[in-house]
Amino acid sequence: MVGAAGEFVGWFAGGPDPYMTLVHCMNHDWVWIGITVALDLTIAAGYVMIARHWRRNELELPDSPAKRALSNMKAIFLFCGLCGYLFIPIKMFWPAWRLYDAFLLVLAYFTWRYALGARTLAVVYRQLRRTDQLAQDLAASLADSRRKSEFLSALSHDLRTPLNGIVLQAELADLVLETGDPAAVRESLAEIKACARASSDLLKTYLELGQIDATGATRRRDRFRLKDLIAAVLARFAVDPARVRLTVEVPENLRLATDEAKIEKILANLLENAVKYTEIGTIVVEASADGPDLSLTVTDTGPGVASEFQERIFEEFFQIHNPERDRRKGFGLGLPIARRLAWQLGGALTLQSRPGSGSCFSLQLPGVIVLDGREARTDANPAGPRPGEAVSAPG
Amino acid sequence: MAARALRSILRRKGWTVSHAEDLQTAMRLIEELPDWILLDLMLPDGDGAELLGLVRERGLPIRVMVTTGSADRHRLDLVLGLGPDYLFQKPIDLEQLLRRLEEECP
């Protein structure tokens, strides 16, 4: 027993004479080395199969705990396979490390099993991708639902408030009639009319918004002089020249060929917004041509818009600093309508602004300018509402 | 304009009414400990729910009737969590409102 143990220790330590052991290994262990190399090559081949599979799938796969776990397994396979090669010289000196070949054998088995199961793994990848897609769809759907909910809530409030005024003023008029005070009745009636007008304005604007979504891109090519249109739109606004200076810097001969009604509406909404928020200061309407493309800006010296609100003001019913939804400040639909119309004309409406320094709304319309009596482009190329950004009016 | 009409109606019905146009004025008015507050949630300088919260936090013996045009379920739940005595959706049903007032303060 002791002899057998001593023999094992001797074998494990490489024999009593290290030099003789080395010679022995060099002469007789080629079989062992061959086995190790063969096992490592088997593992490497399996690994190549797995790597190919990963390369094909991993790039497309979104980051997730499952993906990280799979990547770790790949690293373990690689490490164990490399260890097989590293241990070849060690095994030459220390025959005990031949036991590592047993481990390599197991590793080769699992590598190939894993490599052959790669097809099954592809299903996992597909599921992961699908799960990620579903999560994205859900987030988009929730955001859309939230926007619609906000839209409905604002609409509900804006319809109920004047209705409330009508009901209460009618009740008051009824009470006042009993006391025979015609002046008070007239006052109530005037309030009722104002409330009814507010409801009617809201419905009209709301329907306008719905109509934009329904009509889609424009094909109209009216020919008109831009300066005349701007003058006609400006005439609608009562601006006190002592408080607000209005300047129009538009070339006399700038003629457009596009949907005049839509340009008019965009201009009206932009100017209404500028007039509403510029109590004292200047409003400048500028237009310039870059070949066939029109660039029109409406700049004001109003309070400006903070960067976090610069996209939100184009959302339906959104208004800054109007939490009470005071309808004297409008409904918050003018800018969303203007932007949608700009999209329908194939252009874009953007805002540059700094709080305290005013705002500059810029309308870019490609291919709408009439050059030397002919249209810059005969076929409109309207972009239409951007997918995912245009929220349909619910209902 | 609806608030002014309601004030006139209530006065004609014999109630003593004070009217605050904004949250700050309303905060001052509650010091007079009225029996009722008829509160709109959307005020020019803040959220009417703040006033309700303050009344409840200080344990003031004031009944609060909230009126709102909002249909936002989440927001209404938050307001209900503050414990208003009544919540009316706009347009206000005047008969119902007067009935409540008369029942509670005969």
Side-chain angles (χ1 to χ4, degrees):
Chain A
M1 186 69 192
V2 174
E7 207 171 299
F8 176 75
V9 171
W11 172 77
F12 189 82
D17 183 348
Y19 175 75
M20 284 309 294
T21 304
L22 177 63
V23 170
H24 171 78
C25 287
M26 294 291 281
N27 288 336
H28 299 98
D29 283 8
W30 294 112
V31 175
W32 283 104
I33 291 166
I35 289 170
T36 306
V37 170
L39 283 171
D40 268 330
L41 285 175
T42 311
I43 293 166
Y47 181 76
V48 167
M49 277 187 74
I50 295 167
R52 272 185 60 212
H53 171 74
W54 251 303
R55 187 180 163 74
R56 207 171 55 237
N57 292 285
E58 200 173 35
L59 294 174
E60 304 164 28
L61 201 69
D63 190 39
S64 64
K67 180 182 172 177
R68 284 193 289 276
L70 293 171
S71 296
N72 288 344
M73 282 174 71
K74 182 177 63 174
I76 292 166
F77 278 123
L78 183 65
F79 176 75
C80 295
L82 282 175
C83 282
Y85 290 106
L86 292 174
F87 276 60
I88 288 172
I90 296 171
K91 277 185 278 190
M92 289 171 73
F93 287 98
W94 280 43
W97 282 99
R98 289 167 189 164
L99 288 174
Y100 190 78
D101 285 348
F103 172 71
L104 280 184
L105 191 66
V106 174
L107 187 68
Y109 169 74
F110 280 109
T111 307
W112 272 93
R113 198 176 139 177
Y114 192 79
L116 293 172
R119 279 184 194 171
T120 320
L121 199 65
V123 176
V124 176
Y125 279 128
R126 268 201 296 278
Q127 287 297 332
L128 281 172
R129 254 199 302 272
R130 195 157 161 259
T131 307
D132 186 65
Q133 185 60 44
L134 284 174
Q136 283 177 11
D137 289 352
L138 181 66
S141 168
L142 283 174
D144 194 38
S145 166
R146 194 169 53 246
R147 273 200 302 186
K148 280 188 176 164
S149 172
E150 284 170 6
F151 181 96
L152 274 177
S153 181
L155 183 68
S156 155
H157 177 271
D158 291 356
L159 280 171
R160 282 170 193 260
T161 301
L163 199 59
N164 193 40
I166 290 172
V167 169
L168 291 174
Q169 290 291 354
E171 295 276 2
L172 180 62
D174 203 21
L175 274 176
V176 170
L177 266 180
E178 291 167 14
T179 60
D181 183 356
V185 175
R186 262 199 296 279
E187 198 183 320
S188 286
L189 286 174
E191 297 281 15
I192 288 172
K193 273 192 223 168
C195 290
R197 210 174 297 121
S199 300
S200 153
D201 285 350
L202 172 64
L203 284 175
K204 199 174 130 197
T205 320
Y206 177 66
L207 288 174
E208 239 170 45
L209 194 69
Q211 209 173 13
I212 293 171
D213 286 340
T215 52
T218 189
R219 291 275 166 197
R220 283 181 69 97
R221 306 289 286 175
D222 309 312
R223 284 167 167 250
F224 58 94
R225 209 163 71 104
L226 183 61
K227 199 161 187 179
D228 294 342
L229 183 68
I230 292 173
V233 174
L234 279 176
R236 293 182 212 160
F237 296 98
V239 178
D240 180 2
R243 299 172 71 83
V244 178
R245 196 158 62 87
L246 256 169
T247 313
V248 179
E249 292 172 12
V250 177
E252 290 288 336
N253 55 354
L254 193 60
R255 294 176 66 80
L256 307 184
T258 183
D259 192 323
E260 187 176 5
K262 286 184 177 171
I263 296 279
E264 185 184 349
K265 188 71 196 164
I266 294 172
L267 269 171
N269 287 4
L270 292 181
L271 283 167
E272 189 183 346
N273 186 69
V275 168
K276 202 187 303 167
Y277 290 103
T278 310
E279 288 180 8
I280 299 174
T282 56
I283 297 172
V284 183
V285 184
E286 276 179 294
S288 61
D290 179 11
D293 305 335
L294 172 75
S295 170
L296 187 144
T297 56
V298 177
T299 312
D300 65 59
T301 55
V305 180
S307 55
E308 66 265 33
F309 297 131
Q310 287 184 9
E311 272 306 302
R312 289 210 68 194
I313 61 165
F314 291 105
E315 288 174 17
E316 295 82 357
F317 290 108
F318 181 78
Q319 286 179 308
I320 304 166
H321 307 312
N322 189 15
E324 77 280 19
R325 299 201 62 75
D326 180 354
R327 293 287 58 88
R328 284 167 294 185
K329 295 179 184 170
F331 298 115
L333 289 172
L335 293 176
I337 286 176
R339 176 171 264 191
R340 288 187 190 195
L341 289 173
W343 285 345
Q344 286 195 346
L345 293 170
L349 178 65
T350 51
L351 165 66
Q352 283 185 315
S353 181
R354 269 210 346 243
S357 306
S359 304
C360 175
F361 287 91
S362 173
L363 175 70
Q364 305 294 327
L365 290 180
V368 296
I369 290 179
V370 178
L371 301 166
D372 304 327
R374 63 186 167 78
E375 289 177 24
R377 196 175 53 181
T378 50
D379 182 31
N381 182 26
R386 300 289 190 273
E389 283 196 65
V391 181
S392 300
Chain B
M1 63 182 81
R4 283 200 300 273
L6 191 59
R7 182 183 58 188
S8 301
I9 292 168
L10 291 174
R11 278 183 182 161
R12 278 167 195 273
K13 294 281 181 188
W15 295 87
T16 308
V17 185
S18 300
H19 175 211
E21 295 264 0
D22 52 51
L23 188 61
Q24 291 309 314
T25 317
M27 294 272 194
R28 281 197 298 276
L29 273 181
I30 58 167
E31 302 301 331
E32 295 172 15
L33 294 181
D35 293 321
W36 279 97
I37 297 175
L38 185 61
L39 181 66
D40 197 331
L41 290 180
M42 287 187 175
L43 297 171
D45 56 344
D47 188 347
E50 275 181 43
L51 187 75
L52 172 60
L54 186 71
V55 169
R56 293 292 177 254
E57 193 184 306
R58 290 173 57 185
L60 299 175
I62 303 173
R63 273 157 290 186
V64 181
M65 205 180 269
V66 172
T67 169
T68 178
S70 173
D72 184 344
R73 190 72 237 169
H74 178 64
R75 175 147 172 72
L76 292 182
D77 284 346
L78 282 177
V79 173
L80 284 171
L82 292 170
D85 292 278
Y86 295 101
L87 191 138
F88 286 108
Q89 282 274 341
K90 287 181 187 174
I92 295 173
D93 183 337
L94 192 64
E95 272 182 38
Q96 198 186 357
L97 173 75
L98 292 172
R99 203 166 48 242
R100 282 269 174 255
L101 287 173
E102 277 156 18
E103 276 169 16
E104 302 275 345
C105 304

